[in-house]
Amino acid sequence: MEDYPEELRTPPIGLISLVGCPNLHASISSLLNSQKPPINALALPELDNISIIERRVREEGGEGGGGGILKREWLEKHRTRVPAAVGVLIEGERVGGGPTQWGEICGVIDRIKAVIRPRNIKLVVIIVQSPSTGDINEDRMLALRKRAEIDSKYVVNIFPYEDADFKYSLQRLAILFAELINVYYRDEGRRMKTRIEKKNVNSVESCIRYTFKVAVYAEFRRDWVEALKFYEDAYHIVREMIGTSTRLPAIQHLVEIKTVAEQLHFKISTLLLHGGKITEAVLWFHQHCASYRKLLGATEVTFFHWEWMSRQFLVFAELLELSSRTVPGFHSLITGVVEKGLTEWEFQPAYYYQLASHYLKEKRASLELVLSTWKGSDEDDVIVESVVPSVYIGQFARLPEKNENAVAMQPISDGEFTHFIILEGKRFPDSNEIIALLKKSFDVYSSLKAARMSSHCGFQMAKEYFSAGTTETAKQIFESVVHSYRQEGWVALLWEVLGYLRECAKLSGSLKEFVEYSLEMAALPVSSDLNNESYRDCGPAGSPSVQRREGIQKEVFSVASGELALLPNETDSSPTISATSPLDLEIDLVSPLRIVLLASVAFHEQAVKPGVSTLVTISLISQLPLATKIDALEVHFNQSECDFTMRNPEKSPSPATSDDKPQTRLETAPALVLNTSRWSRLTYDVKSRQSGKLECVSIIARFGPRFTICCKAESPASMGDIPLWKFEERIEYLPTKDPCLALAGQKAIQVEEPDPLVDVSLDAYGPALVGETFVVPVSITSEGHAVYSGELKFNLVDTRRGGLVSPREIEPHSSDSHHVELVGISGAENKDESQVVSDNIKKIQHSFGLISVPFLNEGESWSCRLEMKWHRPKPIMLYVSLGYSPQEDDANAPKVHVHKSLQIEGKNPVIVSHQLMLPFRRDPLMLSRIKPAAESNKPASLPLNEASVLIVSARNCTEVPIRVISMSIESGEDALGSLCDVRPAKGDCVDSVASTLLSSNEAYKKVFSITPKGTSKARMGTVILRWRRYSGTLDHIDGIADGVVTKHILLDVDVEVSPLIVCLECPPYAVTGDPFTFFVKIRNRTNLLQEIKFSLVDSPSFVSCGPHNDTIFGLPKSEYILSYKLVPLASGSLQLPRVAVTSVRYSASFQPSVSASTIFVFPSKPALEMDKAESGGEPLLVAAE
């Protein structure tokens, strides 16, 4: 499409001309170009330039042949040189000036009118106003319109010195020009249509020309429907001209008709596609090709016809590709495909690119045929050099020579024209263009994921590269195509591609690739049915047949054995097989060479003990047409000591097989011959001394001294079908005689470990307790094997999740992040110091451990202790694995493994709790207790600077006895800014270590005195409990520091200031009949006078003396004491008189509890000895209930 002129490829745009005032041309032109549709402007700065528009006188007899159909430059002339309207720019000062200036203006207008009147071009007068220009006289404006013979609306004033007015006036001018353009092209079209309707034409050529002009004028007006109609009319008239006109010689006449039809068809297709009529465009193109496909012309110019056909498909493909990008909803506009006999591919550009390359190949073949019989002379060559395109489309003429008097171009004969196009065809080879077309088709098909079509185009493209001598590029494309053909199973196409690849490998000197492609070709399922006329052109390999397969097999084995050179004509540089460069082929599980050689290996058993023989069957099959003899067959396993080699007794040992390792076992096979499609079965025994997996890895077949094929072994159970042969009609045989083995046989067998004669024992005493170092003794006892190179592995596994207990990846720097960790492995319990475990043979991680085991003779034992630590209560599974060798200095001896496991439960040893209590018979007034509690989890409250009682309890929650060593409270650093003074309570007697033993569910308690020293909140501290697991003896107790520490953080408490404190004081006991004093002390700790009411209720067990009901006032920072004399009347536990104290300010009352109001009365004075603390020291701290 790029070869077409621009005026044909792009839609026509209206043209106007500007005369005078060149300084304004740029502004007006840019505005007109921005319109929709745009308008082109032909700027004529001077009046003398108006001659460009003037109609020229036709030269008679200067066309060389009496004229033609369409002039070559007519469309370009109307787009660039013939405007639809002319705008004359006249300065306003000159219009309103004197007679001289008026006369000049009239002369300009008359000159322009004389030029444009023959062409019916419209005229517009543009008056350029300036600030100095006054109002122009109305009479002068009327005279100007009459002189120009135009209406008043075609006189436009513009104001270039005022931006707003200038833009507005230019917009009016653009609208006026658009209207005049539409009128001009409409009038021109009507004029042409009138000639056609009145049949005022003297020839068919004129009728076509006028119809073409009507369509072009309709395009100028954007009337696409009318343009399409007249283009189609012109196209049909051109088709009817064939065989009717004798104006030109036959060959040139047909060429002109095809060229004009090509341009008309291009216009029609463009209008249909851009109008969204995709299906109509495709149908029109098919009709166009069907109309001209058989118009070959003379035999010597047939190639020119095929070139023309190729160009039709190329241009239509480019139009489709362009429309798919520019037309919105292109694919949704495709309708009626099936009903109109079309396929989806006919709407794809790739389809037409492919056919364009096909017709270009036809052109090349026809040209080669013409050149083989054509003889040209030097005289003709000189004449042809002066042949150029004529004035008319599709015609050619000869330029006059220097000595000729003729001015116009001279017509040429058909012979000269034929000579000209033949020489042009020779100058430009078609291979590059064919490749470019196929490349475009290949890219489009690939983008559509049409693998088969893209492979076909790639194949054609590779053949073009091969024909052009670009072997490397052709080989790359062939390799990409051959993979697709293998998957599809297209044998005939695969044969042809492999033939080209075989030839590329030969030309590039690649011996290995040549052998691989040759063997694959020889093993293809080609029968005699393919040897027919449709496969005559199959490339360098020839047509596929059984005879050709046999010939290729013989050739490739001759080359592989060195009997035949790869390049017979260049034996010196041809690559050959030698001792230094042998030929080794490899066939894996996905290789296309599996049809050449396939190896199946099946063990007769699934498991075997070390040192016990088992049978293995090696089955080989080949699809090569001729029987193939193998010199030697090597069988390789993953355990090299099991490898063995089978030799053909009919063949002498080759140098390659005679140099085998001494330890490799040699066997003699009855016959190593591969017959076509028949399994060759060989059964031998194999013995392995190493436990683990024994697998057959590969089978190496040797053909001669320096040619081998290494085939990966396959299991019969998982072996796939032989590619390309699975759909052939043939008898299928099983790889083994045993059907069960053929269906379930495996190429691997499990060699079991020998029975261990070493015992591993694990002992654990009870559950593990969080915080302690738990020891698991591990004992190894030899009961029949000596232990060499022993390794003991430990692994901790979570019984719930199945993963490792201690993921180091989560927090590698924090040991507490691991619930359970392996701390270490203590030394062996052995008297021999050389067998003590040293650090350099230990590998300890949080959940994994590895330790070496020293040499043990039969009957000896060795033990170690595994130390673990629990940070969280969690059950774990301990796995212990012992690996050892029963023989010394034998690297191939199988390792023996012993596995043991033990589940260990991890538990919390104790549960620590605490309780806060107020002192006995001493009650501070707590305001927080008066108000109702809004929060249930509100912390406890303690009075400021008052001693309270803290009782800490540690309860054994396991079945393991625990001995408590000590209990203390550490305050530590406090972020709250307030601390508590915590001390053991006076008189709290700590039991000895030997006596503080806690059985299951027993609790140990300790009393502390706590005194808050700050306001708001206070932190009580952390309980430090030291304990140890009780083992039943006291010999191992070394001190407190050896115990396990359990920490419990005490909750924070609120601290309040108590405004009042009420204390009851009385003796610890009384005697019947002996009076004693009972005190009620009320302490006011505020700076205010406190009004306090009190009352006393007598008790029948006592005679009392003192105030019973009254109101008192407590002074600030002072204490008020109520004193009562009481005489007991009975003995036993008696209730004291009940005292009630009420604070008026705080509306709070105090009444002692029953226990605080109880005293024990003896019938007579007891004989008791008082403790020092009770008699003279500080009284003991007793908590109230």
Side-chain angles (χ1 to χ4, degrees):
M1 197 166 64
E2 289 79 6
D3 296 336
Y4 290 170
E6 183 182 359
E7 58 270 14
L8 185 66
R9 289 185 284 112
T10 57
I13 300 174
L15 179 68
I16 61 99
S17 179
L18 300 175
V19 181
C21 297
N23 57 323
L24 299 176
H25 289 182
S27 301
I28 299 174
S29 298
S30 61
L31 178 68
L32 294 177
N33 284 329
S34 63
Q35 298 299 306
K36 292 183 179 180
I39 301 173
N40 286 338
L42 177 62
L44 302 177
E46 301 295 338
L47 183 61
D48 295 339
N49 302 128
I50 198 67
S51 58
I52 297 175
I53 307 173
E54 190 173 3
R55 184 187 294 272
R56 293 179 177 82
V57 180
R58 291 190 179 96
E59 297 180 359
E60 297 181 2
E63 301 280 331
I69 301 176
L70 298 178
K71 281 191 175 182
R72 191 178 301 275
E73 297 182 356
W74 183 87
L75 189 55
E76 186 266 339
K77 177 182 68 174
H78 277 266
R79 290 180 51 140
T80 59
R81 297 197 303 273
V82 180
V86 174
V88 183
L89 285 82
I90 303 174
E91 297 175 355
E93 297 177 352
R94 297 180 62 192
V95 175
T100 304
Q101 293 178 337
W102 174 252
E104 292 177 355
I105 291 174
C106 292
V108 170
I109 292 176
D110 292 342
R111 173 69 188 280
I112 293 175
K113 284 167 56 180
V115 173
I116 66 176
R117 184 172 289 130
R119 291 188 179 274
N120 196 25
I121 299 174
K122 311 304 177 183
L123 179 62
V124 178
V125 177
I126 306 170
I127 299 176
V128 182
Q129 300 286 354
S130 63
S132 60
T133 304
D135 294 337
I136 302 175
N137 189 0
E138 185 66 27
D139 295 337
R140 182 61 62 87
M141 292 297 294
L142 180 61
L144 181 63
R145 291 196 299 270
K146 288 183 178 181
R147 193 76 179 188
E149 299 179 3
I150 58 176
D151 193 66
S152 60
K153 72 174 184 178
Y154 299 122
V155 179
V156 181
N157 294 315
I158 62 174
F159 305 89
Y161 301 102
E162 298 178 6
D163 292 340
D165 293 340
F166 186 55
K167 291 181 180 179
Y168 176 72
S169 58
L170 288 184
Q171 288 292 343
R172 285 185 56 211
L173 183 61
I175 296 172
L176 182 60
F177 275 134
E179 179 184 347
L180 291 175
I181 287 172
N182 190 59
V183 171
Y184 171 78
Y185 291 120
R186 184 188 61 199
D187 293 345
E188 289 296 304
R190 287 176 179 176
R191 188 166 60 89
M192 294 295 114
K193 283 192 286 184
T194 302
R195 290 186 181 182
I196 298 171
E197 292 170 358
K198 292 182 178 181
K199 298 184 179 181
N200 190 15
V201 292
N202 54 6
S203 64
V204 181
E205 289 84 352
S206 300
C207 184
I208 298 171
R209 189 181 306 121
Y210 294 152
T211 307
F212 176 76
K213 289 181 179 181
V214 173
V216 172
Y217 291 142
E219 276 196 283
F220 273 112
R221 293 185 290 108
R222 296 297 191 269
D223 189 352
W224 311 120
V225 177
E226 183 175 344
L228 179 61
K229 175 182 178 300
F230 280 91
Y231 278 135
E232 291 178 351
D233 292 344
Y235 180 86
H236 292 308
I237 298 172
V238 171
R239 183 65 179 85
E240 294 172 359
M241 281 185 61
I242 300 174
T244 60
S245 177
T246 59
R247 176 176 47 82
L248 291 174
I251 295 178
Q252 298 182 63
H253 175 63
L254 186 57
V255 170
E256 181 183 14
I257 290 175
K258 289 181 180 179
T259 306
V260 174
E262 178 182 352
Q263 291 200 4
L264 293 174
H265 164 69
F266 176 78
K267 281 292 187 180
I268 294 170
S269 298
T270 303
L271 291 175
L272 288 174
L273 289 173
H274 286 277
K277 299 178 180 180
I278 314 300
T279 307
E280 290 79 357
V282 173
L283 291 173
W284 178 268
F285 177 75
H286 287 181
Q287 179 184 348
H288 170 65
C289 293
S291 300
Y292 289 92
R293 181 178 286 112
K294 297 182 180 180
L295 298 178
L296 303 178
T299 305
E300 58 271 17
V301 293
T302 304
F303 72 92
F304 198 65
H305 168 76
W306 296 125
E307 182 181 2
W308 181 86
M309 287 292 297
S310 174
R311 189 164 57 251
Q312 307 310 299
F313 282 90
L314 170 61
V315 171
F316 192 72
E318 291 175 345
L319 283 176
L320 271 180
E321 190 172 9
L322 179 63
S323 300
S324 64
R325 296 195 302 264
T326 57
V327 176
F330 176 82
H331 297 286
S332 63
L333 298 174
I334 301 174
T335 56
V337 177
V338 179
E339 294 82 357
K340 296 178 181 180
L342 300 176
T343 62
E344 293 184 1
W345 294 118
E346 295 178 78
F347 293 89
Q348 300 296 336
Y351 173 77
Y352 298 97
Y353 282 130
Q354 181 184 350
L355 288 178
S357 66
H358 167 73
Y359 284 111
L360 208 54
K361 291 178 184 178
E362 292 287 343
K363 177 246 181 177
R364 182 177 60 186
S366 299
L367 181 60
E368 290 175 355
L369 181 61
V370 171
L371 292 176
S372 63
T373 59
W374 177 75
K375 295 181 182 179
S377 62
D378 296 337
E379 258 181 55
D380 294 336
D381 293 344
V382 174
I383 294 173
V384 167
E385 289 179 0
S386 61
V387 176
V388 293
S390 178
V391 177
Y392 289 94
I393 295 174
Q395 293 186 12
F396 291 86
R398 180 167 56 87
L399 293 174
E401 298 180 3
K402 294 181 180 180
N403 55 357
E404 293 184 2
N405 297 325
V407 178
M409 293 184 292
Q410 301 297 321
I412 59 176
S413 62
D414 278 351
E416 292 174 341
F417 177 74
T418 303
H419 196 156
F420 166 72
I421 60 175
I422 290 176
L423 290 180
E424 289 294 313
K426 287 176 60 179
R427 285 175 55 192
F428 303 103
D430 301 313
S431 294
N432 293 337
E433 190 171 353
I434 293 173
I435 292 173
L437 292 173
L438 290 171
K439 181 68 167 61
K440 288 183 178 180
S441 181
F442 175 81
D443 292 340
V444 176
Y445 279 131
S446 299
S447 64
L448 296 174
K449 297 182 179 180
R452 294 178 177 179
M453 294 303 298
S454 62
S455 298
H456 175 70
C457 293
F459 184 27
Q460 300 299 322
M461 183 167 48
K463 289 200 294 185
E464 288 297 324
Y465 276 116
F466 183 82
S467 301
T470 313
T471 321
E472 289 298 325
T473 307
K475 182 173 177 293
Q476 294 176 3
I477 303 176
F478 280 133
E479 288 175 346
S480 64
V481 171
V482 74
H483 177 68
S484 175
Y485 288 171
R486 285 170 181 155
Q487 287 184 330
E488 296 289 348
W490 295 336
V491 177
L493 291 174
L494 183 58
W495 172 276
E496 187 176 357
V497 177
L498 289 174
Y500 278 104
L501 284 171
R502 182 171 175 264
E503 198 67 21
C504 291
K506 181 186 293 186
L507 295 175
S508 60
S510 178
L511 180 60
K512 183 177 181 180
E513 292 182 348
F514 174 80
V515 173
E516 288 178 346
Y517 294 135
S518 300
L519 288 175
E520 186 178 357
M521 287 184 68
L524 288 178
V526 175
S527 62
S528 58
D529 297 338
L530 296 179
N531 190 14
N532 52 37
E533 295 296 326
S534 60
Y535 294 97
R536 287 184 299 176
D537 184 16
C538 288
S543 59
S545 63
V546 177
Q547 294 77 12
R548 183 62 184 141
R549 288 175 56 201
E550 295 175 353
I552 292 175
Q553 180 182 353
K554 292 178 181 178
E555 179 185 5
V556 70
F557 276 97
S558 299
V559 171
S561 62
E563 299 175 2
L564 185 64
L566 182 61
L567 300 175
N569 299 329
E570 303 176 10
T571 54
D572 296 337
S573 60
S574 176
T576 57
I577 300 175
S578 61
T580 57
S581 59
L583 179 59
D584 300 324
L585 302 183
E586 292 187 4
I587 304 176
D588 55 20
L589 302 181
V590 295
S591 174
L593 295 180
R594 288 180 73 239
I595 59 177
V596 177
L597 181 62
L598 180 62
S600 170
V601 178
F603 282 93
H604 290 212
E605 299 179 32
Q606 296 181 355
V608 68
K609 291 290 184 180
V612 178
S613 298
T614 182
L615 295 178
V616 60
T617 297
I618 296 98
S619 305
L620 303 176
I621 191 172
S622 175
Q623 303 299 331
L624 294 174
L626 299 177
T628 306
K629 293 185 178 181
I630 302 175
D631 293 355
L633 198 66
E634 301 177 6
V635 183
H636 293 272
F637 297 86
N638 60 339
Q639 300 179 13
S640 58
E641 67 273 7
C642 297
D643 296 348
F644 64 93
T645 302
M646 293 175 282
R647 288 180 176 173
N648 193 338
E650 301 177 0
K651 297 282 187 177
S652 58
S654 61
T657 56
S658 60
D659 296 338
D660 290 335
K661 297 179 182 180
Q663 62 269 24
T664 302
R665 182 162 56 103
L666 298 179
E667 299 286 348
T668 301
L672 291 178
V673 180
L674 296 178
N675 296 314
T676 304
S677 300
R678 296 294 298 269
W679 286 98
S680 178
R681 306 182 185 94
L682 302 168
T683 302
Y684 290 91
D685 62 306
V686 177
K687 181 188 298 183
S688 173
R689 296 191 303 144
Q690 183 177 353
S691 60
K693 182 181 180 181
L694 176 62
E695 180 182 5
C696 182
V697 179
S698 60
I699 309 294
I700 299 178
R702 292 190 175 274
F703 304 90
R706 299 177 185 89
F707 177 37
T708 61
I709 298 178
C710 178
C711 186
K712 297 296 181 182
E714 300 185 37
S715 300
S718 59
M719 184 173 59
D721 296 329
I722 301 176
L724 301 175
W725 283 86
K726 56 184 177 181
F727 301 116
E728 297 296 319
E729 295 182 0
R730 60 190 181 94
I731 301 176
E732 293 189 7
Y733 299 93
L734 297 177
T736 59
K737 293 182 179 180
D738 186 359
C740 296
L741 197 61
L743 296 176
Q746 297 292 334
K747 65 176 181 178
I749 191 174
Q750 185 65 33
V751 181
E752 299 177 350
E753 295 182 354
D755 296 331
L757 297 179
V758 174
D759 182 43
V760 177
S761 62
L762 303 176
D763 296 323
Y765 303 100
L769 303 182
V770 174
E772 73 168 342
T773 301
F774 188 73
V775 177
V776 177
V778 181
S779 300
I780 300 174
T781 304
S782 175
E783 298 176 353
H785 277 171
V787 177
Y788 294 93
S789 304
E791 287 184 350
L792 196 60
K793 298 179 182 178
F794 307 94
N795 197 9
L796 305 181
V797 179
D798 189 350
T799 58
R800 298 174 183 173
R801 294 178 299 179
L804 294 180
V805 176
S806 306
R808 299 186 62 190
E809 295 81 7
I810 299 176
E811 295 183 31
H813 302 293
S814 176
S815 61
D816 291 341
S817 64
H818 308 287
H819 293 169
V820 185
E821 65 174 330
L822 184 61
V823 178
I825 303 174
S826 61
E829 298 177 0
N830 199 313
K831 296 180 181 180
D832 190 357
E833 295 182 358
S834 63
Q835 296 182 2
V836 176
V837 180
S838 58
D839 291 335
N840 59 352
I841 58 175
K842 289 182 182 178
K843 293 183 181 178
I844 305 299
Q845 297 180 359
H846 287 283
S847 61
F848 176 78
L850 174 65
I851 186 173
S852 298
V853 178
F855 165 72
L856 297 177
N857 279 321
E858 295 183 14
E860 294 183 348
S861 63
W862 177 87
S863 63
C864 64
R865 292 188 301 171
L866 182 64
E867 298 176 357
M868 295 178 290
K869 192 171 186 179
W870 266 254
H871 298 286
R872 303 285 188 276
K874 178 179 285 292
I876 63 105
M877 184 68 73
L878 171 63
Y879 290 97
V880 179
S881 176
L882 172 64
Y884 69 94
S885 177
Q887 299 178 8
E888 186 181 8
D889 299 333
D890 190 355
N892 297 325
K895 277 270 189 179
V896 182
H897 294 86
V898 183
H899 305 282
K900 287 295 179 70
S901 63
L902 177 66
Q903 183 172 353
I904 305 174
E905 192 78 18
K907 295 183 178 181
N908 278 321
V910 294
I911 297 177
V912 180
S913 61
H914 69 280
Q915 182 181 7
L916 288 170
M917 303 180 69
L918 295 175
F920 186 61
R921 292 176 178 170
R922 185 179 180 89
D923 291 308
L925 176 62
M926 308 291 290
L927 297 180
S928 61
R929 298 182 181 180
I930 300 174
K931 301 177 182 179
E935 300 178 1
S936 59
N937 56 351
K938 186 176 179 180
S941 298
L942 295 179
L944 178 66
N945 294 328
E946 288 290 328
S948 299
V949 178
L950 172 64
I951 302 175
V952 181
S953 173
R955 183 178 300 277
N956 183 3
C957 57
T958 66
E959 63 273 15
V960 179
I962 293 176
R963 184 177 300 281
V964 177
I965 298 175
S966 68
M967 179 186 287
S968 61
I969 296 179
E970 292 183 356
S971 60
E973 297 182 359
D974 185 50
L976 300 174
S978 178
L979 298 175
C980 294
D981 184 10
V982 182
R983 299 178 182 179
K986 184 69 175 178
D988 180 59
C989 181
V990 180
D991 295 338
S992 63
V993 174
S995 62
T996 313
L997 180 65
L998 299 181
S999 299
S1000 177
N1001 207 30
E1002 288 186 352
Y1004 170 80
K1005 296 182 180 180
K1006 188 171 183 180
V1007 180
F1008 294 89
S1009 172
I1010 177 170
T1011 305
K1013 297 298 183 181
T1015 58
S1016 184
K1017 283 186 176 292
R1019 179 165 292 172
M1020 292 189 291
T1022 303
V1023 177
I1024 307 298
L1025 177 67
R1026 294 184 181 272
W1027 58 273
R1028 70 167 63 252
R1029 181 192 291 259
Y1030 178 69
S1031 61
T1033 62
L1034 301 176
D1035 299 335
H1036 64 284
I1037 300 176
D1038 299 327
I1040 297 177
D1042 296 332
V1044 181
V1045 176
T1046 298
K1047 295 183 179 181
H1048 175 75
I1049 299 176
L1050 298 175
L1051 299 177
D1052 299 337
V1053 295
D1054 293 337
V1055 180
E1056 296 185 22
V1057 178
S1058 301
L1060 298 176
I1061 298 176
V1062 179
C1063 297
L1064 302 181
E1065 292 186 4
C1066 65
Y1069 62 91
V1071 179
T1072 303
D1074 290 346
F1076 64 90
T1077 305
F1078 173 54
F1079 298 99
V1080 178
K1081 297 181 179 181
I1082 304 171
R1083 180 177 299 174
N1084 181 10
R1085 302 182 65 179
T1086 67
N1087 295 324
L1088 303 174
L1089 186 66
Q1090 299 287 345
E1091 182 180 359
I1092 301 172
K1093 295 180 180 181
F1094 71 92
S1095 63
L1096 180 70
V1097 179
D1098 291 331
S1099 174
S1101 301
F1102 292 91
V1103 176
S1104 62
C1105 177
H1108 281 61
N1109 292 292
D1110 199 358
T1111 299
I1112 62 175
F1113 292 91
L1115 298 178
K1117 302 292 183 180
S1118 64
E1119 185 179 59
Y1120 189 88
I1121 301 175
L1122 297 176
S1123 176
Y1124 296 92
K1125 274 293 186 179
L1126 302 179
V1127 178
L1129 301 178
S1131 62
S1133 181
L1134 304 178
Q1135 287 286 328
L1136 294 170
R1138 301 297 297 271
V1139 179
V1141 179
T1142 302
S1143 172
V1144 177
R1145 177 181 296 274
Y1146 301 109
S1147 299
S1149 63
F1150 163 76
Q1151 192 170 6
S1153 61
V1154 176
S1155 61
S1157 301
T1158 302
I1159 189 171
F1160 188 83
V1161 179
F1162 289 95
S1164 61
K1165 189 174 182 179
L1168 298 175
E1169 293 184 1
M1170 301 296 292
D1171 190 29
K1172 293 181 180 180
E1174 296 180 0
S1175 58
E1178 183 181 350
L1180 295 175
L1181 181 65
V1182 180
E1185 290 184 356

